[in-house]
Amino acid sequence: MSDNAAIDDILYPPIEPNSVNTFKVSDLHTIVYEEAGNPEGRPALFLHGGPGVGIMPGYRRFFDPKHYRQILVDQRGAGRSTPYAEIAENTTWDIVEDLEKLRVSLGFDDWIVMGGSWGSLLALCYAIKHPTSVAGMIIRGVFLGRQSEIDWIHKPHGAAKVFPDEWERYVAPVAGADDILKAYCDLLDSDDTEEALAAAKSWSRWEGSMNVFLPDPDEPDHMQDDGRVLPLARIESHFTRHGFFLESDNFVLDNADKIAHIPCYMVNGRYDLICPSAYAWDLHKALPASTLTIVPNGAHSPLDPGMARELVHAANQFRKY
């Protein structure tokens, strides 16, 4: 059985949104969100990664559509939200408050929150700032935004040791730069569209090379699409260079007591080389009541079969909340 067939057996069947809506969150930014599943169901919020990835159709398939009213948000500058690829007025805390405004606007007392990678950090920051708004969390590829985690990806002593060929391709556009992140930000902000797009593809290829356990050469890399690659790279580099706008390097663990009462199910791939399992382990130790599953053949992608199976299982477990 192929991985694709396995995934179709694991996830809920594909569904279309019930509606696609706009929500103005500032004078500059308007975000887009989908509603899917049961209009009278338990509210569940899905947070995409990146930051800057945007919502993709497969994200609707983790939650039981008969039980959940799914809200899937294109965060500031990402996906269909406007302005496209905008980094002004775009910080972690801006997005946290967007989510809370949206919850209030929709009339939800609280919701189940699922997020992976950057989406896991966003979910944790949102829960820390608004703990009564979160009934439960499902987080995958746990990322805590610490400088050591940033260095793992963007300095030569981390993931570069596992992927030296891809690292060489990644640093080629900024060869000689003392600060890789600043150099990439400058390229991605260039008025030269071709230069910015080439830099965006290089940035996205680097992380994409580590995304799945066994890459399929015949599977298209959606992160290389011209319409998606620039917001991903531009917004992600902006957040990364600014330490994800956290108030301290160990912000999440320093504030773990504020979310210790919230049921939390963590899923991490044993072979996740973007967000190694040690990050999830650190969080699990800080949240003793949490559940951590390390998937033996999992990597970073939520669509690796083992990862998808655990995420669906977690969402089904949360039907009682």
Side-chain angles (χ1 to χ4, degrees), residues 169-195:
R169 291 187 184 97
Y170 171 58
V171 298
V174 293
D178 293 331
D179 186 333
I180 289 173
L181 288 173
K182 180 182 184 303
Y184 257 105
C185 286
D186 290 343
L187 286 176
L188 291 163
D189 287 341
S190 172
D191 292 332
D192 183 330
T193 303
E194 289 187 9
E195 181 179 62

Side-chain angles (χ1 to χ4, degrees), residues 3-245:
D3 280 355
N4 286 338
I7 281 292
D8 282 336
D9 289 341
I10 292 165
L11 298 175
Y12 284 98
I15 56 172
E16 293 299 316
N18 299 328
S19 62
V20 179
N21 314 282
T22 60
F23 186 65
K24 192 164 183 61
V25 291
S26 74
D27 289 342
L28 177 61
H29 286 277
T30 298
I31 61 173
V32 170
Y33 68 94
E34 300 178 358
E35 292 203 41
N38 181 356
E40 304 300 323
R42 180 66 167 105
L45 171 67
F46 185 92
L47 301 174
H48 65 68
V53 169
I55 293 300
M56 292 186 279
Y59 296 159
R60 305 180 202 121
R61 302 181 62 187
F62 294 109
F63 289 101
D64 180 351
K66 294 181 180 178
H67 180 80
Y68 285 105
R69 179 178 175 183
Q70 300 180 49
I71 309 297
L72 304 98
V73 178
D74 281 330
Q75 298 155 25
R76 291 190 181 205
R80 297 153 293 184
S81 293
T82 55
Y84 172 77
E86 181 59 69
I87 60 173
E89 298 177 22
N90 197 347
T91 73
T92 301
W93 307 114
D94 290 321
I95 299 173
V96 161
E97 293 313 308
D98 293 348
L99 301 176
E100 183 63 2
K101 289 175 187 176
L102 182 59
R103 180 194 66 81
V104 171
S105 173
L106 292 170
F108 301 154
D109 292 333
D110 55 26
W111 41 16
I112 305 296
V113 179
M114 178 186 285
S117 194
W118 150 252
S120 72
L121 176 59
L122 180 57
L124 291 161
C125 289
Y126 175 64
I128 287 167
K129 292 295 184 181
H130 300 283
T132 61
S133 299
V134 180
M137 287 187 289
I138 304 165
I139 53 177
R140 180 268 313 166
V142 174
F143 178 65
L144 304 178
R146 297 173 292 188
Q147 187 60 48
S148 60
E149 300 173 30
I150 295 170
D151 291 348
W152 169 259
I153 297 294
H154 298 288
K155 293 204 171 174
H157 57 265
K161 297 294 187 184
V162 185
F163 295 92
D165 49 341
E166 292 294 344
W167 173 259
E168 186 171 296
R169 291 187 184 97
Y170 171 58
V171 298
V174 293
D178 293 331
D179 186 333
I180 289 173
L181 288 173
K182 180 182 184 303
Y184 257 105
C185 286
D186 290 343
L187 286 176
L188 291 163
D189 287 341
S190 172
D191 292 332
D192 183 330
T193 303
E194 289 187 9
E195 181 179 62
L197 189 59
K201 289 188 173 184
S202 176
W203 174 281
S204 298
R205 176 180 172 132
W206 167 232
E207 291 197 16
S209 68
M210 299 177 272
N211 196 42
V212 299
F213 182 52
L214 293 173
D216 182 349
D218 296 324
E219 184 71 18
D221 184 354
H222 298 294
M223 293 303 100
Q224 291 290 307
D225 291 348
D226 286 1
R228 189 180 294 272
V229 70
L230 186 58
L232 168 62
R234 191 169 186 227
I235 296 170
E236 189 173 76
S237 62
H238 163 70
F239 273 72
T240 305
R241 188 182 172 204
H242 289 90
F244 293 85
F245 302 95

